[in-house]
Each structure stands twice: as structure tokens, then as C-alpha cells.
Amino acid sequence: MSPHDHETPAGGHAHGGHHGHDTTHIDWEEFATLLESEAALSLPLYEEVAHWVREQLPAGSVRRVLDIGSGPGAVSCLLAEVFPQAEVVAVDATPGLLELARARADRTGLGDRVGTRLAELPEGIAELGPADLVWASGSLHHVGDQRAVLTGLAGLLRPGGLLALLEGGLPARHLPRDIGIGRPGLESRLEAAAAAWFADMRAALPGAKPEVENWRALLAAAGLTPTLTRSFLLDVPAPVTDAVREGLVSGLSWQRGALEGRLDADDAAVLDRLLDPDDEEGLMHRPDCFMLAVRTVHTARRG
Ligand SMILES: C[S@@+](CC[C@H](N)C(=O)[O-])C[C@H]1O[C@@H](n2cnc3c(N)ncnc32)[C@H](O)[C@@H]1O
């Protein structure tokens, strides 16, 4: 439930809806809090991915890591911990998010190895400099010409270097099918509405190019050798902590706004109840909410 998942914009995303609302344009500065809470909830998954990626690289070989579309830098800092000999550069087009990344790096004592670089993709890629690992999580699908971005990023890799692309997986789930209010199957309907939103979001991106989302084929077309593909599970069962509840509320309230006009009135009313902090059936109180998500990671090597 965020601009990060393709079912939500997190994977998240937002420009030019077809219902008279411009709900597909994403103001990334406004997303800072949501991105931070999502990253905090997903950190165990990212940690597992980072260790899996490390196993694919010769020990000590990683000197420079680029975190492409880093957002507020939680993963950039994690990568600095997992690759203790590396300089990590958080790359993003949103200055406010890079400030948060900078602050996080300083706060966690990683300031000397985590840097930030303001760059708009794909135009800014050429200036990013060489890397042993390029990590792109949930950022590629926010760029119109995904093929151009992958080709540019592939060109930054040193021989033997790896590109790790986190795209796709399964839409996150947070509630049982029947939650006792409204029609059963709310999340399936949200997912369908979010998929339509996602298509409109992509179509409205500058330089949008339709692309078959065969990531391994796209990595190969970028001149790399696809190596592994694996999906990682984030499983936070009920009952969840207040911090998880707050994360679910942030994600769902984002969806409530982005999907305005795409949901029927009954589902919209149920969402309002779920988001109401004083409603006993709301996310802040109900005992049955959880967090279940799958993220797929593709790796590819430069020969
Ligand atoms: C969904 S967030 C992903 C954040 C982080 N990588 C993660 O996995 O949690 C997408 C990020 O991509 C950045 N972004 C979107 N379009 C971009 C572009 N054209 N150039 C550079 N960064 C971009 C946004 O500012 C945002 O921080």
C-alpha cells in the first residue's frame, strides 16, 4: 500500500488520472514520511536481499555502490553496513529525500562512506561514475524510458560488477478477505484499481515508452548477463505493533487519495473507517491486520 508497489505506487507512484483528478503525479518530497515508514517496515527484507547480493560478489571487491532512486536512504545506509569497504552513493532526483539520506548517514555514523548525488534519470546517469554494485529498488518503474535507464546503469558497472534490480513480486496484503465491514475482497478490488492507476501513472511519465516487463530480457538487452532471480518474503503476522499499524495507515491513506474516483462509494467508506483512529474496526485497533509482501530481485553481471 504505497507508491512503492505497483499495486500501490511503492513500489509506490502518482500523474494525470482519467477521472478528472491528477492522482498519478507523485510529489516525492511529500512522500518522505511514507517512504521512511515503508523502508523501516521492509528493512528485514532488504537486509536479506543485500546479503544474498553480497554472496554473488567476490569478498572485498565492492568499492563503490550506487543506490539508484534511494529515497531517504535507509537502504543506502544498510548497503554501507553490508559492504564495509565501499563508498555508497544515494542517487535521487528529489533534494529533500537526499537531505534525509544525508541526515540518516550522519546519525548512524556512516557519514564518511555514504554520499548523496542529485540526478534525474536517465539524463544524469553518465555523471554518476563507475560502480561495482548498482542497486535499483522500486525506482525504475518511475522513469518513462526504462530501457534507456538500464542501458545507462549497465555502462557504469566495472567488469565483474553487478546490477541488482528490485521490481515486481506480489501485491502486499494487510487484511483478511472478510473484515466484517463492507463487501469481502476489499484488497483484491484495491489491487485492481491500483493496477489501473499504475498504468496511467506510467503512461503520463515524461518520455514514457511501453515495455514488456521481462526484466531479465531487458537486463540482457542492456549488455549484461542475467544471473539470478529470487523473490523475498516480508511476513509480519497479526497482531502487529503500533509502528506497523501506523505504517499501514500511511500506506492506505496514500491509496485512498491516489485511487479517488476509481473505487465505489462503499469501498471508499470502508477505507475511511479503516483509517479512522477512533473507529474500533480501524487499522489502529483491529487485531487481524498484518503485513505480507513479496519482492522479486533480478541480478545481472557485467562481463
Ligand atoms: C518508490 S521510491 C523507492 C525508494 C527506495 N529505493 C526504496 O526501495 O525504498 C522511488 C524513488 O525514485 C526517485 N525517482 C523517481 N523518478 C526519478 C528519476 N527520474 N530520477 C531519479 N530518481 C527518481 C524518487 O524520488 C523516489 O525516491
Side-chain angles (χ1 to χ4, degrees):
M1 290 193 194
S2 79
H4 202 87
D5 314 316
H6 77 269
E7 66 284 5
T8 74
H13 338 253
H15 270 292
H18 56 192
H19 299 278
H21 306 285
D22 182 16
T23 62
T24 63
H25 170 76
I26 302 180
D27 180 339
W28 289 108
E29 300 268 1
E30 279 180 12
F31 262 93
T33 309
L34 179 54
L35 289 175
E36 296 231 81
S37 94
E38 274 196 352
L41 297 181
S42 302
L43 217 55
L45 182 151
Y46 286 130
E47 216 169 311
E48 211 187 326
V49 176
H51 284 100
W52 176 74
V53 166
R54 189 178 63 182
E55 283 166 19
Q56 297 177 52
L57 288 153
S61 67
V62 176
R63 299 297 163 137
R64 192 157 188 269
V65 178
L66 296 172
D67 180 8
I68 302 295
S70 63
V75 175
S76 314
C77 290
L78 168 68
L79 292 170
E81 281 164 10
V82 173
F83 296 97
Q85 280 144 347
E87 168 207 6
V88 178
V89 185
V91 178
D92 207 284
T94 308
L97 297 179
L98 289 180
E99 277 168 33
L100 291 172
R102 168 89 268 130
R104 177 184 289 266
D106 290 341
R107 201 167 63 236
T108 53
L110 294 163
D112 55 334
R113 282 195 300 115
V114 176
T116 58
R117 181 76 71 90
L118 187 65
E120 182 80 36
L121 305 178
E123 297 80 8
I125 292 178
E127 281 83 56
L128 296 178
D132 307 293
L133 171 63
V134 172
W135 172 288
S137 165
S139 48
L140 186 65
H141 62 252
H142 290 294
V143 181
D145 190 345
Q146 300 176 104
R147 192 177 281 263
V149 172
L150 285 181
T151 302
L153 295 177
L156 301 176
L157 283 174
R158 293 181 176 131
L162 209 65
L163 195 154
L165 179 66
L166 286 79
E167 284 291 342
L170 292 173
R173 289 297 171 105
H174 313 91
L175 289 164
R177 186 191 68 91
D178 189 337
I179 58 170
I181 49 173
R183 263 186 310 144
L186 173 69
E187 283 199 293
S188 298
R189 294 189 294 281
L190 286 181
E191 196 180 311
W197 174 91
F198 186 85
D200 288 348
M201 180 281 293
R202 278 219 47 82
L205 287 172
K209 291 219 170 93
E211 198 66 79
V212 174
E213 290 162 2
N214 177 348
W215 303 115
R216 289 175 63 88
L218 285 169
L219 288 164
L224 301 176
T225 304
T227 47
L228 301 175
T229 292
R230 188 175 144 189
S231 292
F232 293 81
L233 180 68
L234 182 67
D235 181 10
V236 184
V240 296
T241 61
D242 279 355
V244 173
R245 290 178 191 281
E246 280 157 19
L248 298 186
V249 167
S250 306
L252 194 67
S253 71
W254 174 81
Q255 275 210 325
R256 174 76 180 87
L259 300 181
E260 183 68 54
R262 297 178 194 263
L263 300 172
D264 68 30
D266 290 346
D267 282 346
V270 171
L271 286 186
D272 289 340
R273 288 198 62 187
L274 287 170
L275 291 170
D276 181 349
D278 298 323
D279 192 320
E280 280 305 310
E281 301 283 0
L283 287 171
M284 287 312 292
H285 300 286
R286 50 186 314 126
D288 57 358
C289 53
F290 55 87
M291 178 136 179
L292 185 62
V294 173
R295 305 282 310 272
T296 301
V297 189
H298 306 274
T299 53
R301 195 177 297 281
R302 169 125 191 223

